[in-house]
């Protein structure tokens, strides 16, 4: 297929086919009913033009024959028919609008499902971190978030077009029958010329969306900073309020300028000749009608029908507020989602779909064998031929300076990414050959940037093993194992307390309490069968003293479990069975705290350095 044909197919045909299928799936009867009703509403407009013209045509005879005469009665009949049509229009038009809204909500509901499914279907998190696919996902979600210009608007707009175009058809047919088919063709052409102009303008805006979106992102960000609670403190303390206002203004203007430029260009070039052409044709047609009326070739009724239908038809050359924006912009989201789906790797990753039990053998070791990894879009090897064996039942601590690749190693273990080279083997079997979901159930992780869900305390814990959500006893047990028993007891609604001050009766936890909650979540995962517990910087929100206490307590509670403990504080992991030092994407030292100190290598150097820093600070609990 030629390039332009492919583009035409992808941009114009495919999204509309999608809409049609959505309309069928969501609203088969509703969509058909609305389309039928809209057809009737359109036809009624034509009926009113004819009926009201007949009224005008009968006035002279009725006036001269007087009240109660047969011509008078026929005038009254025509008047009643015209009024009836007008009344029906008044009733059916809002009904059609209401049904259109129903269609919009149903189609948007389906699109929401499709969006979530597409966003969550990928086994890895790479699409959420890739700028291009993320931009498509944002574009697909943007309209839904704002509730306007959505696929539902496109669907409702398409149905609204039925009203408009059936109205136009009715007027053209009326002109054809009452005046001449040449006049009908000329007026139809004028209306469609104006319509094409409006659609071109809207299409121009559509093409500008990808240009404007990144520019808008900046202004939206400044607006969010200015009105949101997150930066409220800093903006005031640093005296940034007028700076933010100015930055918002300049970035918003930068975002809107391409649109203004294009609007000037399109309006001037496209509408000047269209307006001139339309005016000339309409003047000619109306002049010919008036002449025919003057010579008696047209009756008064015919002349009135011709003029009314002509004006009404040409007015339909306008911009359709209820249809044009929706049909044009609503499809942007559809196209963006299709592009995103194309960018997301097939969820059938190697090993996917196998029986869950296959992934849960008890193991004796997990071995990173010559594992290298670099993030997409970068050549830098974050892990560079890493060899590391984690033994079952052992607590292994992974230490290294910030940026040495510790979290990356965890992400590979959780199969959020696949190694660029090498493999992770569980008793000799590559974990890439295991069903990904089942493998993940083997790993309970507390990420450094774990999520603070604005949900109940029990849900925050239950997310570690969602099937245990209805077991409050076990959730309470996990809370207490993570050191939260006192907090839960003090909360008015206990485990059911919502962890957000934005809710009635909700509370906010401290950083350290949130961290314990994340640990309770991972402990639940372990209780539900996960064989490896990973804690990535679990004590970042705690002070040194609390950290030392946490590790002592934690080492005691998880004794005998396969645990991977990550920290950049060398002092905090000395109770681990084994300490592994990561640097430059490789393991450079491996041993117990004592053996590594005795070795007097990198670990000993950094341990002493950090110890002296703490000794110099006000912290009194200095690592020994
Ligand atoms: P650590 O946990 O040891 O502090 P990380 O594994 O988080 O280190 O990061 C290792 C390196 O990989 C850092 O240089 C970081 O900038 C880079 N990095 C981490 N995440 C990403 C990502 N999603 N995309 C690109 N680079 C990343």
């Amino acid at each position: 297929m030629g390039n332009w044909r492919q583009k035409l197919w992808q941009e114009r045909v495919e999204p509309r086919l999608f809409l049609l299928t959505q309309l069928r799936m969501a609203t088969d009867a509703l969509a058909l009913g609305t389309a039928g009703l809209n057809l009737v509403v359109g036809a009624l407009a034509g009926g009113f033009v004819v009926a009201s013209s007949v009224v005008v045509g009968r006035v002279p005879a009725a006036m001269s024959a007087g009240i109660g005469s047969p011509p008078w009665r026929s005038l009254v009949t025509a008047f009643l028919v015209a009024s009836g049509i007008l009344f029906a229009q008044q009733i059916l038009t809002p009904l059609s609008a209401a049904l259109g809204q129903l269609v919009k909500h149903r189609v948007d509901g389906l699109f929401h499902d499709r969006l979530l499914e597409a966003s969550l279907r990928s086994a890895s998190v790479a699409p959420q971190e890739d700028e291009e696919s993320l931009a498509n996902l944002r574009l697909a979600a943007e309209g839904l978030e704002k509730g306007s210009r959505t696929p539902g608007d496109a669907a409702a707009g398409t149905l609204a077009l039925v009203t408009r175009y059936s109205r136009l058809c009715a007027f053209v047919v009326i002109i054809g029958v009452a005046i001449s088919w040449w006049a009908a063709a000329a007026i139809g052409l004028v209306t469609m010329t104006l319509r094409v102009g409006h659609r071109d303008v809207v299409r121009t805006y559509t093409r500008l969306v990808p240009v404007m979106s990144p520019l808008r992102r900046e202004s939206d960000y400044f607006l969010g900073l200015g009105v949101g609670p997150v930066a409220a403190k800093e903006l005031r303390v640093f005296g940034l309020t007028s700076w933010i206002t100015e930055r918002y203004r300049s970035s918003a203007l930068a975002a809107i300028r391409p649109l203004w430029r294009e609007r000037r260009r399109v309006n001037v070039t496209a509408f000047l000749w269209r307006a001139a052409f339309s005016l000339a044709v309409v003047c000619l047609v109306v002049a010919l009608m008036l002449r025919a009326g003057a010579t008696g070739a047209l009756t008064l009724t015919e002349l009135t029908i011709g003029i009314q239908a002509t004006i009404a038809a040409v007015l339909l050359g306008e911009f359709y507020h209820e249809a044009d924006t929706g049909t044009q912009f609503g499809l942007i989201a559809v196209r963006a989602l299709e592009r995103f789906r194309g960018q997301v790797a097939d969820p059938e990753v190697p090993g996917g779909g196998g029986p869950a039990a296959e992934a849960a053998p008890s193991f004796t070791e997990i071995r990173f064998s010559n594992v290298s990894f670099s993030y997409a879009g970068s050549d830098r090897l974050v892990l560079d031929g890493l060899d590391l064996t984690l033994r079952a039942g052992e607590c292994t601590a992974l230490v290294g300076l910030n940026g040495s690749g510790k979290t990356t190693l965890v992400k590979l273990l959780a199969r959020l990414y696949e190694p660029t080279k090498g493999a992770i083997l569980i008793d000799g079997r590559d974990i890439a050959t295991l069903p990904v979901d089942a493998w993940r159930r083997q790993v309970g992780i507390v990420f450094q940037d774990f999520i603070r869900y604005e949900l109940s305390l029990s849900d925050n814990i239950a997310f570690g093993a969602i099937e245990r959500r209805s077991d409050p006893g076990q959730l309470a047990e996990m809370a207490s194992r993570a050191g939260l028993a006192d907090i839960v007891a003090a909360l008015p609604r206990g485990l059911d307390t919502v962890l957000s001050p934005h809710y009635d009766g909700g509370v906010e936890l401290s950083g350290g309490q949130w961290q314990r909650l994340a640990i309770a979540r991972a402990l639940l995962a372990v209780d539900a069968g996960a064989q490896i517990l990973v804690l990535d910087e679990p004590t970042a929100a705690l002070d040194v003293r609390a950290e030392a206490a946490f590790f002592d307590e934690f080492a005691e509670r998880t004794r005998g479990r396969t645990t991977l403990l990550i920290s950049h504080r060398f002092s905090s992991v000395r109770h681990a069975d084994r300490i592994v030092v990561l640097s430059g994407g490789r393991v450079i030292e491996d041993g117990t705290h004592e053996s590594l100190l005795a070795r007097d290598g990198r670990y000993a150097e950094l341990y002493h350095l950090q110890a002296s820093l703490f000794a110099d600070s006000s912290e009194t609990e200095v690592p020994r």
Side-chain angles (χ1 to χ4, degrees):
M1 234 193 285
N3 221 1
W4 67 268
R5 262 198 246 167
Q6 194 175 359
K7 213 168 156 206
L8 192 76
W9 176 262
Q10 280 173 353
E11 290 195 353
R12 304 271 176 91
V13 184
E14 248 175 7
R16 286 190 166 82
L17 287 180
F18 166 78
L19 263 190
L20 282 180
T21 53
Q22 297 296 291
L23 276 174
R24 269 201 50 208
M25 273 167 58
T27 55
D28 222 349
L30 178 64
L32 270 180
T34 312
L37 177 68
N38 290 356
L39 210 64
V40 171
V41 171
L44 281 177
F48 181 73
V49 162
V50 174
S52 58
S53 301
V54 170
V55 171
V56 174
R58 289 182 183 175
V59 167
M63 295 283 278
S64 56
I67 295 175
S69 65
W72 180 268
R73 279 201 297 277
S74 79
L75 170 68
V76 172
T77 310
F79 179 78
L80 288 176
V81 170
S83 305
I85 294 176
L86 189 66
F87 183 69
Q89 263 184 299
Q90 298 298 317
I91 298 284
L92 296 181
T93 304
L95 179 65
S96 140
L99 290 180
Q101 282 299 305
L102 209 57
V103 169
K104 167 187 156 71
H105 292 310
R106 290 228 187 135
V107 171
D108 281 347
L110 277 179
F111 193 74
H112 261 118
D113 295 347
R114 200 173 157 85
L115 180 70
L116 272 177
E117 184 269 327
S119 173
L120 297 174
R121 76 200 273 255
S122 122
S124 92
V125 289
Q128 266 76 9
E129 292 186 347
D130 172 63
E131 261 314 306
E132 209 181 315
S133 54
L134 196 59
N136 280 324
L137 192 63
R138 279 208 202 103
L139 203 54
E142 220 167 55
L144 288 181
E145 281 163 12
K146 292 183 183 156
S148 71
R149 302 178 171 191
T150 62
D153 285 315
T158 305
L159 291 173
L161 284 178
V162 173
T163 311
R164 294 283 195 158
Y165 285 118
S166 59
R167 208 175 275 175
L168 178 62
C169 286
F171 296 147
V172 167
V173 168
I174 288 168
I175 298 172
V177 172
I179 311 294
S180 87
W181 290 103
W182 282 112
I187 294 303
L189 181 70
V190 162
T191 307
M192 289 316 293
T193 306
L194 293 170
R195 281 292 299 149
V196 169
H198 284 295
R199 291 297 296 194
D200 272 353
V201 173
V202 185
R203 212 165 284 132
T204 306
Y205 289 175
T206 321
R207 278 198 292 273
L208 283 175
V209 167
V211 180
M212 288 168 60
S213 280
L215 298 173
R216 275 235 173 101
R217 201 165 300 143
E218 191 180 283
S219 60
D220 285 352
Y221 177 67
F222 283 122
L223 186 64
L225 273 187
V227 300
V230 179
K233 271 198 306 254
E234 290 215 358
L235 293 186
R236 283 160 182 77
V237 170
F238 293 130
L240 293 174
T241 46
S242 38
W243 186 85
I244 283 280
T245 311
E246 190 40 49
R247 278 301 298 264
Y248 168 70
R249 196 197 312 273
S250 59
S251 55
L253 278 174
I256 201 77
R257 268 197 193 107
L259 185 70
W260 285 348
R261 220 176 9 249
E262 211 42 31
R263 191 158 58 189
R264 274 197 299 274
R265 192 186 66 77
V266 175
N267 282 340
V268 170
T269 53
F271 279 107
L272 262 186
W273 76 261
R274 282 193 164 89
F277 168 74
S278 307
L279 195 66
V281 174
V282 172
C283 285
L284 184 68
V285 169
V286 172
L288 288 175
M289 279 194 264
L290 288 175
R291 204 181 66 158
T295 60
L298 287 179
T299 63
L300 179 60
T301 303
E302 286 167 339
L303 183 63
T304 314
I305 287 179
I307 290 177
Q308 278 212 91
T310 299
I311 293 171
V314 173
L315 283 180
L316 283 174
E318 66 178 347
F319 172 79
Y320 300 163
H321 61 89
E322 79 285 19
D324 286 342
T325 320
T327 50
Q328 193 64 34
F329 289 95
L331 293 181
I332 290 180
V334 176
R335 283 196 290 268
L337 186 62
E338 284 316 299
R339 282 198 299 276
F340 177 77
R341 289 173 71 88
Q343 283 159 336
V344 177
D346 199 316
E348 290 297 315
V349 288
E358 222 195 305
S362 305
F363 63 90
T364 54
E365 64 166 40
I366 299 173
R367 187 152 65 85
F368 288 74
S369 169
N370 194 23
V371 169
S372 295
F373 179 76
S374 54
Y375 284 97
S378 153
D379 293 336
R380 197 169 77 80
L381 283 175
V382 176
L383 298 182
D384 185 6
L386 175 116
D387 283 305
L388 169 65
T389 302
L390 305 176
R391 289 185 284 270
E394 217 175 58
C395 174
T396 308
L398 192 62
V399 293
L401 294 178
N402 281 331
S404 56
K406 305 182 294 294
T407 300
T408 303
L409 183 144
V410 174
K411 290 195 248 179
L412 291 183
L413 181 66
R415 290 190 59 196
L416 294 170
Y417 300 93
E418 302 292 334
T420 317
K421 227 179 76 194
I424 304 171
L425 309 167
I426 172 166
D427 285 345
R429 182 170 175 187
D430 190 343
I431 60 168
T433 64
L434 297 170
V436 69
D437 287 345
W439 167 249
R440 284 186 185 147
R441 282 200 288 278
Q442 296 303 306
V443 196
I445 302 184
V446 179
F447 283 109
Q448 218 171 10
D449 53 353
F450 64 85
I451 301 298
R452 301 165 180 216
Y453 296 99
E454 279 195 13
L455 295 168
S456 67
L457 205 145
S458 59
D459 276 347
N460 266 280
I461 300 174
F463 283 2
I466 196 66
E467 67 280 8
R468 306 279 171 101
R469 187 166 178 258
S470 50
D471 185 349
Q474 198 184 12
L475 301 180
E477 162 70 15
M478 295 306 123
S480 111
R481 272 200 223 166
L484 284 170
D486 293 347
I487 310 287
V488 177
L491 288 172
R493 299 183 59 199
L495 281 175
D496 292 332
T497 309
V498 178
L499 301 181
S500 163
H502 304 309
Y503 290 86
D504 199 21
V507 298
E508 179 59 289
L509 297 184
S510 72
Q513 288 164 347
W514 271 113
Q515 211 144 26
R516 285 181 184 277
L517 193 57
I519 290 166
R521 184 148 72 223
L523 287 176
L524 180 68
V526 171
D527 222 58
Q531 298 188 55
I532 315 149
L533 176 61
V534 181
L535 293 149
D536 188 354
E537 304 275 4
T539 51
L542 304 183
D543 59 38
V544 176
R545 193 185 320 217
E547 179 184 58
F550 172 84
F551 276 107
D552 290 349
E553 169 197 329
F554 185 78
E556 190 52 45
R557 285 190 174 158
T558 57
R559 199 167 295 287
R561 288 219 178 273
T562 313
T563 313
L564 182 62
L565 212 56
I566 295 179
S567 181
H568 69 278
R569 282 190 196 158
F570 285 61
S571 60
S572 55
V573 294
R574 60 187 185 280
H575 293 304
D577 298 320
R578 184 177 152 223
I579 297 170
V580 173
V581 184
L582 203 64
S583 176
R586 287 165 183 254
V587 173
I588 56 163
E589 284 174 25
D590 185 347
T592 59
H593 173 68
E594 290 72 24
S595 72
L596 290 176
L597 278 188
R599 187 176 158 165
D600 204 19
R602 184 87 170 135
Y603 176 83
E605 179 197 341
L606 289 167
Y607 176 81
H608 290 308
L609 181 68
Q610 289 185 351
S612 67
L613 284 178
F614 289 132
D616 289 345
S617 78
S618 59
E619 302 281 7
T620 49
E621 193 74 22
V622 181
R624 291 160 308 227

